[in-house]
Amino acid sequence: MNTHSALRFFSDLPLRRKFVLMLAILAAGIVALCLVTAKRNHDELIQNERRALHTRVEAALALANRYADRAAAGELSEQDARQQALAAIESLRSANGSDYLWVNDEHPTMLMHPHQTALNGKDLSDATSADGKKIFVEMVRLGQQDGGGFLDYTWPKPGVEGAVQKISYVGLHKRWGWIIGSGEYTDDIAARAWSFGRVLIVAGMLVLLAALLVCW
């Protein structure tokens, strides 16, 4: 149907059907606009989370450098400096402990994980995510190749059945060959974004309903 035929078809419709069709188009437009807004909100929240992870890891790298400087200056032995640096990095988390950091070496072997302490000292070469990624091997590659980077993967979340999406940032501490990383699950971010989208849709439908009542 070309444009001329479509206009002719619309002009031949009864007034009530024209009104209903216009409302349907308006409703579809409102829903589409709300979904686009929710998607943009989700993308912005993800970008904010990425920046937070990057900042957190950079702070830990700077902290490790301070201990490495103390070892180089003779204030601490190399072993003591590393142990104190790991303890200090372990403490860099909020009260609920969700924004923690971990440290592994370039083998990769876990050097410090504040929650999964059973991993400390374990070989992580074969640790594989639910979506098939050898995540710690990939993190070492990111550190060695680019000095650091982001990795998206799926991982089990406490209290949630099955694996969920997670994003991590890792950075390489070159002086000690450490890979320092931090991550966050993104399912909560998605839930917040789409909850915002549903609120927008409901608000839009209420406005449309008010307009319908006035026109009626």
Side-chain angles (χ1 to χ4, degrees):
M1 182 182 292
N2 56 37
T3 304
H4 178 73
S5 299
L7 290 173
R8 184 177 180 83
F9 171 77
F10 183 77
S11 64
D12 290 341
L13 287 175
L15 183 59
R16 180 173 294 180
R17 289 191 179 181
K18 289 180 182 178
F19 180 64
V20 172
L21 180 59
M22 289 173 61
L23 284 177
I25 294 173
L26 182 58
I30 290 174
V31 171
L33 179 61
C34 291
L35 292 177
V36 169
T37 302
K39 177 64 167 59
R40 292 186 63 180
N41 182 52
H42 174 266
D43 292 344
E44 184 177 345
L45 289 172
I46 290 293
Q47 288 304 315
N48 290 341
E49 192 60 59
R50 284 174 175 264
R51 285 191 288 269
L53 291 172
H54 182 269
T55 300
R56 192 181 303 160
V57 171
E58 289 299 316
L61 288 169
L63 181 60
N65 270 326
R66 287 201 293 272
Y67 281 95
D69 288 342
R70 293 180 66 185
E75 296 179 24
L76 295 170
S77 69
E78 184 80 8
Q79 184 64 24
D80 286 344
R82 292 184 182 223
Q83 290 178 348
Q84 291 184 32
L86 288 175
I89 294 170
E90 183 180 3
S91 69
L92 294 178
R93 59 181 188 271
S94 61
N96 62 16
S98 62
D99 52 352
Y100 63 87
L101 297 114
W102 74 85
V103 182
N104 56 267
D105 63 18
E106 295 177 278
H107 174 70
T109 298
M110 183 64 75
L111 300 179
M112 184 280 295
H113 195 293
H115 297 313
Q116 300 181 41
T117 54
L119 290 177
N120 294 341
K122 296 292 183 65
D123 184 348
L124 305 171
S125 302
D126 294 325
T128 306
S129 64
D131 52 351
K133 296 177 182 176
K134 290 191 173 182
I135 56 172
F136 291 101
V137 172
E138 281 296 304
M139 290 172 182
V140 170
R141 182 189 64 80
L142 284 171
Q144 292 175 339
Q145 179 175 298
D146 303 315
F150 292 96
L151 183 65
D152 296 303
Y153 54 98
T154 56
W155 198 252
K157 181 179 181 180
V160 176
E161 185 177 353
V164 300
Q165 196 67 32
K166 188 173 186 178
I167 180 174
S168 290
Y169 180 82
V170 296
L172 173 64
H173 185 261
K174 295 181 180 179
R175 297 166 74 177
W176 287 342
W178 285 0
I179 302 294
I180 301 177
S182 185
E184 287 288 352
Y185 294 99
T186 60
D187 57 328
D188 292 338
I189 294 175
R192 292 202 308 270
W194 294 118
S195 176
F196 174 68
R198 287 193 296 270
V199 170
L200 288 179
I201 291 174
V202 170
M205 291 300 104
L206 289 175
V207 171
L208 185 62
L209 179 60
L212 173 62
L213 292 174
V214 170
C215 292
W216 192 266

